[in-house]
Amino acid sequence: MTEANSGSDVLRPITIAGALDALGGGRQIMAGATWLMRAPVRGEAPPKAAVLIGSIPELQQISIGQDQVTLGAGVTHTKLAEALAGVPALKGLVTAASRAANPPIRAVATLGGNLCTAAFAAGDLSPQLLALDARVTYATKDGTQDMDMSQFLAARGNLSGGLLTRVRIPLGNFRSAHARLPLRKAGDYPVAIVSARMDQNESLMRRVRIAVGSVEATPRRWSGLEAALEGQPYDLKAIADSAGSLTNEFTGRDGVEADGWYRTKVLPALVRQVFEDLSMQFAERP
Amino acid sequence: MSRTADPAAAVMDLPRRDAPDKLAGRTRYTVDMAGPGTLHAAIRRADIPRGRIIRVESGVARQMPGVRAIVTAQDAPGTHGIGISDHPLFAGKEIRYNGEPIAAVAADTLEQARAAAAAIIVEVEALPPVLTMAEALSPSAPLVHEGWKDYGVLFEGGARKGNIAWEAKVVRGDTDAAFARPDVTIVEGCYEVGRQSHMPFEPRAAIATFEDGRLHLVTSTQVPWTVRAVTSSLLGIPSSQVRITVPPVGAGFGLKFDCTIEPVAALLAWKTGRRVSLANSRQEEMATCLCRENAQIRIRSAVTTEGEIVGREATVLMDCGAYGGEQIFLTTMTAHTLGSNYRLGSVRLSTRAIYTNTPPNGAFRACNGVYNTFALERHTDEICAAIGMDPVEFRRRAVFRDGSIGSTGQVFEGEVLVPMIERMEALKQKSGSREAEAGGRLYGRATTVGSWFVFVGPSAATVNLNADGSATLVTSGVEIGSGTMVQALPQIVAGQLGIRPQDVVVKAADTDAAGYDVGVGGGRTTVSLGAASVKACEDVLSKLLPVAAEMLQTSQDNLVLGKGRIEIAGRKGSGATIASVAQRAQALHGPVTGSGSFTGQGVPSMAGCAMGHFINAIDIPIFAVHDCEVAVDPDTGHVEILSYKVVQDVGRALNPRAIHGQIQGGVVQGLGYALHEDVTIDAKGRIAQDSFETYRIPLAQDVVPVEFELFEGAPSIGPLGVKGAGEVPILNVGAAVACAVANATGKPVSRLPLTPPRVLGLLVSDEPPLDHPHIGKDWSSNVIALPQSVRAG
Amino acid sequence: MTMRLFINGEERSAAVHPLTPLVDVIRDELLLTGTKSVCREGFCGACTVHIDGVPTMSCLLPVIAAEGKAVTTIEGVGGPGNMNAVQHALEEHDVVQCGMCFPGMVMSMTAYMERRPAAPRADIKAAMSGNICRCTGYERIIDALLSIAAKEDTTA
Ligand SMILES: Cc1cc2nc3c(=O)[nH]c(=O)nc-3n(C[C@H](O)[C@H](O)[C@H](O)COP(=O)(O)OP(=O)(O)OC[C@H]3O[C@@H](n4cnc5c(N)ncnc54)[C@H](O)[C@@H]3O)c2cc1C
Ligand code: FES
Ligand code: FES
């Protein structure tokens, strides 16, 4: 195992294999540290042992291919937004990464950290990646596992001893959008999130994916609304009405910042916002 | 001597002398001063809202690494308070709120102190808590203070009973007759506000040492002399044995009227013989913040079709939390915040401070005024709707005029509010409407009035005119950020002495050097310290001018001061520098020093109107008119402020730029109160919002530039005609926003803050109007007992 | 463990746990108290320092992550007599009140204004979403920052 700096409690491996070896002994993965270092504010003990993964080049990689984008788990929100700014299909992901938190946090908080924090219900990236049909790669000493986002989100609370290494997003003839609702203009966690993607199609809505975040403890797809919209003509009012009649698919979580009813009540407005954005993106297309 | 300098000489946009260091991180606040070798303290706090303490065992904790001392209630058995001495430093037998200190530890490091504090064994028997004012007032409620009857009463006159810690009443005229009149419309409303947390960036913090047998506290406080008195009494040492010095304070907003940190640090320093630093963590600071209190209000008015208010009755419940503290004093304010703005034919007011098993509340910028103004202005708009009158027109007709009588019978002088309303109308006209920016959202607008005042109180100042022509101003004033100590005071002294404000050295508060002062807050600093400084300067001049007259071979009456010189009137370039006169005076009579003191003269009120009030009439009223435009998102309940305007009564604007800073900052704090800042008490009696994540104060994107006009010339007993300008900007923000949101939505806005969930709730549901069943509709059911004379009348 | 830092152009070291928040090392070990520790959760920005030129919240950065990088604190950007453009503008516009937020505000905005000297009001406000001020109400800070570009326009 190679270490950039060693101390028995805190290790800084430079390869994925090294990171996997380093796990154990109470050490947990530490990426941007913006979640872990807030432990005292949550009434938990501050971290004393960690495997820092910031020096692993492989986790920083971003590759934009013809039909797929691959993002290393160590990519920060800022880097992600910069790198994908030129990929029209992923505008929703760029929005998610560039509106979450605040600028200095975005500069250090990582994709992997955002996805792996099971206790964090309001993450922006996971609903967007759900809508984008992204797949994640999770590495353990026993090998790597490839999962779709739903599988990953269901499993993430129980995963341990491994490392999220990358996220792959299929590209295609579609557009994506992301609507988030903080209580102030910005700077706080969104109380509800709607992410969506839809194929470019002359007349009808095709391959509609809608995911909802922050409303329940874990983000998930809004399958009822997806089914209701699939193959329908684009009509903003009808879309919002469908959303309005299907919000009972979700049970909003009560939190200090907002009660559950509010989180579901605002969903139609967020749906309207993402579909407005999608239609504008389609209109812009050359 | 009667000589007065031209007040205009003190008016300027003097830059702040503390800005360069603050911008460079060189300013050292109390939290920056611990340094190496200092012990760190941590507090063990209760984690239940009410209970009996069976055992506190600190033996094991005392043996832990680095621990130097542990103190508990046994080390400071006394109590303190305002009005009522009900507050111990540590919970001894009883726990009255979640977060109450039980013990404190001093150790070599903060980590060690915290570990030991956590290791203290506290055995308790939990008791059912009283968490709301409604519960506290129910006949079967447990008493938060079982021994309330035995407490020391520090100020006579307030009615008290069980969970009612204090009651203040105003009775003027016959409201029964007014409400019985056939020609009036009766309008009644209930209102409610939550708490507001100050969130000063520097938490409450203190560093204690014993030096030559005396206690020295370096502390982040607004009230050095209160800290001196409370600490000495809790420690059982003479107050002359306590010295308080105050570095720049990282904001206060009233929170730092508190005195619960300093005695703890002092006890630990005394026990260890070492320098001890105690600072609240952010979570502790927020969990035990002496918030602006939550309040519930019922107002009823009898109004003629012409807009004359012939009768008004109101009851205000203020939650004081587990201990009376400031709320006992603040019950006084209702007489002025509900009673000194509209002309009332007859009025009855009852204000009750209620004990609950929740963290104690305290003072916050424009205490009591902020929510009473909200309630009053919403009520006023409801009156306008009921009698069909335009809200601005109603206010024009109904507000105070020259000679109007306040609720306690005080006579108000000058035409102030009506011309201020006209100024606001002109400003609105000039700036136009932002309605177009609302887009598809609901647009609303409202103009509100409010009344506040300066609580004057005693202050002392010493001015030394040095032989180099500079002056040193020594007071117990504290720079809490508002700029008074670095702008207004040196400007005043410079104007009086004819020197440059840069040449006025301002000494930071040190109770060993300066005379008594009530403290910095309530907008009183410029007024009281300013007035004391003016008197000290007059004293200086009475020593300087005879020497100058002799040097210049002229009479004192011919002398004018300015630009560092004393000259003969009308003869430019004549005369001598102030430095040379000061040198001469020093050679002849010794160094030139002057001292001055000031206190409010007291303003007459009508005998018998006010009961349980700490002050019956106000020395300096201040009025404000605010206007606000909002856009309300009907789908999410988000309120966006489109424009905000202020016309503020400032007496004389000494430093208009600094006042602008206070207005912008105060309005934004008010926007936080109106829209974002929500404090709730959870089932365990804890403040649920104990972090920046959960307590949302406005960020840059949530605010707008405030358009403002300064209204000068209203009567003021302040020096050079000034009034406090820093406190009042927050006064009617909650009111203006709430009235604008009600105007936009057509819904009865009766609660603050107007968070998006609350606004959406209003929009989507048909809730019945807010009612407080525990505040009787019959006003006299909301008072403990009225004196016989009043009942008969 | 001994942590080595390159801070304000100097090599410094401190014997601390490697996961100690950088802000605590800066304030308590190196006694550079200009950087403020206010919320300790990434919301207020009072603890902002530059790590290799990038504004970073030092309350959430374990000190080990700053090793081998250039750390600049408020003490390293200029002071009375040699203030930078942002500090100058803030002083000239009389916007400082209690001052506790300003070290962080100066660090964030110095980096931002260098990158986007002509940024419009709305963009500056968005860039400030990680810097809270409880006293000033922000707008006069923005006025001051906008004046920097305006001044350069007239002197250019
Ligand atoms: C002020 C503030 C505001 C915020 N606002 C938002 C917001 O609006 N929207 C939003 O989405 N988020 C927001 N966040 C949350 C922030 O995005 C998360 O804190 C962040 O994404 C976590 O990333 P990190 O790299 O810092 O994770 P770390 O703190 O390093 O780690 C978080 C968790 O993930 C694990 N982990 C990290 N990387 C991996 C990996 N590759 N494989 C396996 N496990 C891993 C860690 O062990 C740990 O349990 C905010 C945070 C702050 C401080
Ligand atoms: S102290 Fe670091 S962001 Fe507030
Ligand atoms: S000036 Fe006090 S927090 Fe900004």
Side-chain angles (χ1 to χ4, degrees):
Chain A
M1 182 182 118
T2 337
E3 288 170 23
N5 190 316
S6 94
S8 58
D9 295 338
V10 181
L11 303 173
R12 272 213 276 187
I14 55 171
T15 63
I16 290 174
L20 294 172
D21 282 342
L23 282 169
R27 285 180 291 266
Q28 53 189 334
I29 301 278
M30 183 177 273
T34 64
W35 179 265
L36 290 175
M37 293 294 280
R38 281 186 285 159
V41 178
R42 295 188 292 267
E44 301 161 11
K48 289 288 176 208
V51 178
L52 273 72
I53 59 172
S55 308
I56 303 174
E58 211 182 319
L59 297 180
Q60 305 298 324
Q61 280 170 6
I62 298 177
S63 89
I64 304 173
Q66 272 304 323
D67 42 46
Q68 166 172 299
V69 162
T70 308
L71 302 166
V75 170
T76 64
H77 286 62
T78 305
K79 290 242 168 67
L80 190 162
E82 278 168 13
L84 301 184
V87 184
L90 300 187
K91 182 177 170 227
L93 186 56
V94 171
T95 305
S98 57
R99 299 275 167 81
N102 58 49
I105 295 297
R106 293 196 292 265
V108 290
T110 65
L111 169 61
N114 198 257
L115 297 187
C116 291
T117 312
F120 180 44
D124 273 284
L125 299 181
S126 33
Q128 183 62 36
L129 291 170
L130 262 176
L132 291 172
D133 287 333
R135 298 186 73 79
V136 304
T137 305
Y138 191 78
T140 60
K141 274 195 203 159
D142 306 329
T144 64
Q145 226 182 319
D146 196 64
M147 290 180 259
D148 69 25
M149 276 297 294
S150 302
Q151 288 168 324
F152 170 72
L153 290 172
R156 68 176 176 179
N158 303 316
L159 292 172
S160 69
L163 185 64
L164 184 77
T165 55
R166 61 177 184 176
V167 176
R168 285 175 302 147
I169 306 160
L171 290 179
N173 191 19
F174 65 87
R175 290 292 180 268
S176 62
H178 186 80
R180 60 199 301 279
L181 191 72
L183 291 178
R184 290 174 296 201
K185 281 271 168 56
D188 45 326
Y189 295 158
V191 294
I193 300 170
V194 171
S195 300
R197 61 82 78 203
M198 185 168 82
D199 272 3
Q200 166 75 19
N201 185 290
E202 298 313 309
S203 51
L204 302 176
M205 296 191 282
R206 293 285 184 209
R207 292 191 56 216
V208 179
R209 295 270 182 285
I210 302 164
V212 171
S214 194
V215 171
E216 297 179 343
T218 307
R220 63 184 171 93
R221 296 254 298 266
W222 194 342
S223 41
L225 185 58
E226 288 176 359
L229 303 187
E230 188 64 36
Q232 298 297 311
Y234 177 89
D235 171 350
L236 200 51
K237 184 169 179 315
I239 293 169
D241 286 348
S242 296
S245 65
L246 292 168
T247 49
N248 54 8
E249 247 183 67
F250 294 88
T251 311
R253 67 190 164 96
D254 286 341
V256 176
E257 66 286 12
D259 286 343
W261 72 265
Y262 181 75
R263 299 181 199 269
T264 51
K265 190 82 195 167
V266 296
L267 286 176
L270 296 181
V271 166
R272 171 184 274 270
Q273 209 177 310
V274 286
F275 278 87
E276 236 166 4
D277 184 354
L278 286 171
S279 86
M280 264 156 58
Q281 290 186 48
F282 288 132
E284 274 165 21
R285 238 174 73 115
Chain B
M1 65 164 280
S2 62
R3 184 200 166 78
T4 43
D6 177 8
V11 175
M12 67 187 80
D13 280 334
L14 180 69
R16 297 179 67 120
R17 58 187 65 182
D18 57 350
D21 273 10
K22 283 181 169 175
L23 287 165
R26 293 188 184 182
T27 301
R28 289 169 69 86
Y29 304 84
T30 303
V31 288
D32 298 326
M33 292 179 137
T38 303
L39 299 181
H40 293 268
I43 293 178
R44 171 62 183 269
R45 298 177 182 279
D47 56 7
I48 54 166
R50 179 161 174 258
R52 233 182 300 284
I53 298 179
I54 295 164
R55 189 168 68 104
V56 176
E57 174 53 57
S58 53
V60 174
R62 182 67 187 82
Q63 298 311 314
M64 288 171 66
V67 174
R68 304 287 172 170
I70 296 180
V71 292
T72 65
Q74 285 173 2
D75 298 282
T79 54
H80 65 110
I82 297 171
I84 302 296
S85 185
D86 61 1
H87 195 170
L89 191 59
F90 294 105
K93 295 199 187 73
E94 252 183 278
I95 291 168
R96 295 197 179 86
Y97 72 94
N98 195 325
E100 183 161 19
I102 294 172
V105 182
D108 292 346
T109 70
L110 186 55
E111 243 183 337
Q112 290 168 338
R114 288 191 177 149
I120 296 172
I121 298 160
V122 179
E123 207 180 304
V124 296
E125 178 201 347
L127 296 171
V130 178
L131 296 181
T132 66
M133 293 194 285
E135 281 167 47
L137 287 177
S138 97
S140 59
L143 293 181
V144 176
H145 292 267
E146 270 160 23
W148 67 272
K149 282 185 186 147
D150 306 325
Y151 287 151
V153 175
L154 309 174
F155 184 90
E156 295 292 339
R160 302 158 60 216
K161 189 177 180 189
N163 286 335
I164 302 166
W166 192 270
E167 181 180 284
K169 294 179 280 279
V170 173
V171 176
R172 177 169 63 69
D174 186 348
T175 51
D176 287 342
F179 281 95
R181 269 170 61 162
D183 62 335
V184 296
T185 303
I186 295 174
V187 180
E188 178 161 351
C190 284
Y191 311 92
E192 179 171 65
V193 294
R195 299 183 184 198
Q196 183 177 25
S197 188
H198 308 66
M199 296 285 260
F201 265 36
E202 183 190 34
R204 285 165 286 170
I207 298 170
T209 43
F210 275 81
E211 295 162 5
D212 299 331
R214 295 175 73 229
L215 169 64
H216 179 192
L217 278 162
V218 177
T219 174
S220 185
T221 187
Q222 295 175 247
V223 286
W225 285 85
T226 306
V227 173
R228 182 177 180 267
V230 171
T231 306
S232 62
S233 105
L234 288 171
L235 264 66
I237 57 178
S239 51
S240 60
Q241 295 302 96
V242 180
R243 174 188 181 199
I244 312 294
T245 58
V246 189
V249 171
F253 312 122
L255 173 61
K256 291 172 181 171
F257 280 29
D258 183 30
C259 183
T260 53
I261 290 284
E262 293 89 347
V264 175
L267 275 175
L268 289 167
W270 177 68
K271 273 223 162 176
T272 58
R274 300 270 303 271
R275 190 166 186 265
V276 175
S277 158
L278 173 58
N280 275 338
S281 73
R282 183 55 54 181
Q283 271 63 49
E284 288 177 294
E285 182 71 356
M286 297 188 68
T288 65
C289 179
L290 306 183
C291 292
R292 182 193 302 289
E293 66 277 10
N294 49 307
Q296 295 172 320
I297 300 149
R298 183 189 286 278
I299 312 182
R300 193 162 86 103
S301 301
V303 189
T304 68
T305 47
E306 293 306 298
E308 189 192 343
I309 308 164
V310 296
R312 171 161 291 161
E313 292 176 343
T315 301
V316 179
L317 302 184
M318 308 166 60
D319 190 345
C320 52
Y323 298 103
E326 292 286 342
Q327 275 59 46
I328 291 196
F329 171 73
L330 297 176
T331 54
T332 290
M333 308 292 198
T334 298
H336 312 296
T337 55
L338 284 187
S340 301
N341 24 41
Y342 291 96
R343 300 196 310 279
L344 306 174
S346 59
V347 56
R348 298 206 283 185
L349 305 171
S350 156
T351 309
R352 312 176 118 187
I354 310 291
Y355 285 130
T356 57
N357 290 116
T358 62
N361 286 311
F364 194 140
R365 205 174 195 171
C367 313
N368 164 292
V370 166
Y371 54 77
N372 272 345
T373 306
F374 151 70
L376 180 61
E377 289 300 82
R378 280 292 305 126
H379 180 66
T380 302
D381 277 359
E382 282 161 0
I383 291 173
C384 297
I387 64 170
M389 192 180 286
D390 172 72
V392 174
E393 179 55 26
F394 178 85
R395 287 170 171 86
R396 257 195 211 106
R397 291 187 188 199
V399 296
F400 273 16
R401 309 297 300 259
D402 186 15
S404 292
I405 296 174
S407 67
T408 63
Q410 169 181 6
V411 178
F412 284 74
E413 280 161 19
E415 283 297 347
V416 186
L417 259 178
V418 172
M420 286 175 70
I421 291 173
E422 297 315 334
R423 284 276 281 278
M424 179 58 85
E425 288 304 294
L427 185 58
K428 281 156 71 176
Q429 202 69 44
K430 192 178 96 192
S431 304
S433 160
R434 300 271 174 109
E435 184 163 3
E437 288 170 33
R441 295 169 296 173
L442 307 168
Y443 168 83
R445 172 167 221 165
T447 303
T448 61
V449 302
S451 62
W452 186 241
F453 57 94
V454 181
F455 169 65
V456 186
S459 283
T462 303
V463 171
N464 299 326
L465 181 64
N466 306 311
D468 59 2
S470 69
T472 308
L473 172 66
V474 184
T475 71
S476 291
V478 174
E479 179 50 53
I480 59 172
S482 62
T484 311
M485 302 300 293
V486 291
Q487 291 171 316
L489 290 187
Q491 285 176 222
I492 288 174
V493 169
Q496 294 292 309
L497 298 181
I499 60 179
R500 300 183 313 161
Q502 298 89 304
D503 296 330
V504 179
V505 176
V506 179
K507 168 130 179 62
D510 178 346
T511 56
D512 273 8
Y516 177 78
D517 190 81
V518 179
V520 171
R524 65 177 295 281
T525 322
T526 309
V527 169
S528 296
L529 285 171
S533 303
V534 167
K535 289 202 180 155
C537 289
E538 286 170 355
D539 194 13
V540 163
L541 293 178
S542 73
K543 295 167 183 170
L544 192 70
L545 293 179
V547 176
E550 196 197 306
M551 280 171 75
L552 303 177
Q553 297 292 301
T554 183
S555 98
Q556 282 186 52
D557 298 340
N558 286 338
L559 295 175
V560 290
L561 294 102
K563 305 209 161 114
R565 297 179 64 79
I566 302 184
E567 298 189 337
I568 299 168
R571 285 171 53 193
K572 258 205 152 42
S574 66
T577 62
I578 288 175
S580 65
V581 180
Q583 281 157 23
R584 173 92 183 132
Q586 178 168 317
L588 287 174
H589 311 293
V592 184
T593 71
S595 62
S597 39
F598 176 80
T599 193
Q601 280 91 340
V603 175
S605 61
M606 220 179 263
C609 277
M611 288 142 270
H613 284 58
F614 285 70
I615 34 177
N616 287 345
I618 56 187
D619 293 282
I620 304 180
I622 304 180
F623 297 100
V625 180
H626 288 202
D627 177 84
C628 172
E629 288 176 288
V630 299
V632 180
D633 188 324
D635 298 322
T636 66
H638 281 66
V639 176
E640 185 183 0
I641 305 297
L642 299 176
S643 75
Y644 205 95
K645 296 180 177 59
V646 169
V647 176
Q648 185 171 316
D649 164 26
V650 295
R652 180 190 299 277
L654 285 186
N655 188 324
R657 208 166 57 156
I659 295 177
H660 182 192
Q662 289 299 307
I663 291 179
Q664 179 69 39
V667 166
V668 164
Q669 233 171 32
L671 293 178
Y673 184 64
L675 295 175
H676 308 286
E677 299 179 24
D678 205 3
V679 172
T680 50
I681 304 287
D682 69 15
K684 290 194 77 185
R686 264 183 321 216
I687 290 176
Q689 296 78 4
D690 70 348
S691 66
F692 275 63
E693 177 196 316
T694 45
Y695 189 71
R696 291 176 306 277
I697 63 179
L699 305 186
Q701 286 172 290
D702 303 304
V703 311
V704 293
V706 177
E707 294 170 74
F708 70 101
E709 285 202 19
L710 305 181
F711 185 87
E712 294 194 87
S716 169
I717 60 156
L720 322 181
V722 303
K723 296 184 173 187
E727 188 157 39
V728 72
I730 197 173
L731 181 73
N732 21 357
V733 185
V737 172
C739 291
V741 170
N743 177 247
T745 59
K747 296 284 184 176
V749 174
S750 314
R751 289 193 176 97
L752 292 180
L754 293 166
T755 58
R758 175 160 291 154
V759 174
L760 191 62
L762 265 177
L763 287 168
V764 300
S765 76
D766 278 312
E767 292 174 32
L770 180 65
D771 189 26
H772 300 312
H774 52 291
I775 306 181
K777 283 181 184 273
D778 171 10
W779 181 83
S780 41
S781 67
N782 301 313
V783 294
I784 292 170
L786 280 178
Q788 198 58 51
S789 56
V790 178
R791 255 180 291 160
Chain C
M1 226 177 118
T2 301
M3 294 284 118
R4 277 173 217 297
L5 288 175
F6 187 67
I7 183 162
N8 299 333
E10 271 179 47
E11 292 277 2
R12 301 286 299 269
S13 62
V16 292
H17 189 280
L19 298 183
T20 309
L22 178 61
V23 68
D24 292 346
V25 179
I26 292 174
R27 287 177 54 82
D28 303 340
E29 304 295 324
L30 308 181
L31 304 179
L32 295 167
T33 54
T35 305
K36 303 302 179 200
S37 166
V38 173
C39 72
R40 302 179 72 87
E41 53 173 333
F43 280 92
C44 77
C47 66
T48 309
V49 298
H50 293 176
I51 304 288
D52 285 344
V54 180
T56 304
M57 283 161 178
S58 61
C59 64
L60 299 184
L61 195 73
V63 56
I64 190 174
E67 274 200 327
K69 302 188 172 165
V71 181
T72 310
T73 69
I74 186 69
E75 287 87 352
V77 299
N82 67 331
M83 290 200 281
N84 74 20
V86 166
Q87 290 169 312
H88 250 300
L90 294 171
E91 191 201 359
E92 266 182 14
H93 283 73
D94 190 49
V95 298
V96 175
Q97 292 191 23
C98 88
M100 281 284 292
C101 67
F102 275 100
M105 194 69 90
V106 166
M107 295 309 283
S108 298
M109 290 300 118
T110 296
Y112 181 75
M113 297 308 289
E114 266 166 26
R115 208 156 46 80
R116 301 263 331 266
R121 194 169 196 99
D123 290 17
I124 298 178
K125 281 189 162 189
M128 211 180 269
S129 58
N131 289 96
I132 299 184
C133 175
R134 186 50 157 167
C135 303
T136 66
Y138 304 102
E139 296 290 349
R140 303 173 79 245
I141 299 179
I142 319 276
D143 290 342
L145 296 174
L146 286 168
S147 78
I148 300 174
K151 200 180 240 172
E152 270 162 18
D153 270 358
T154 54
T155 52

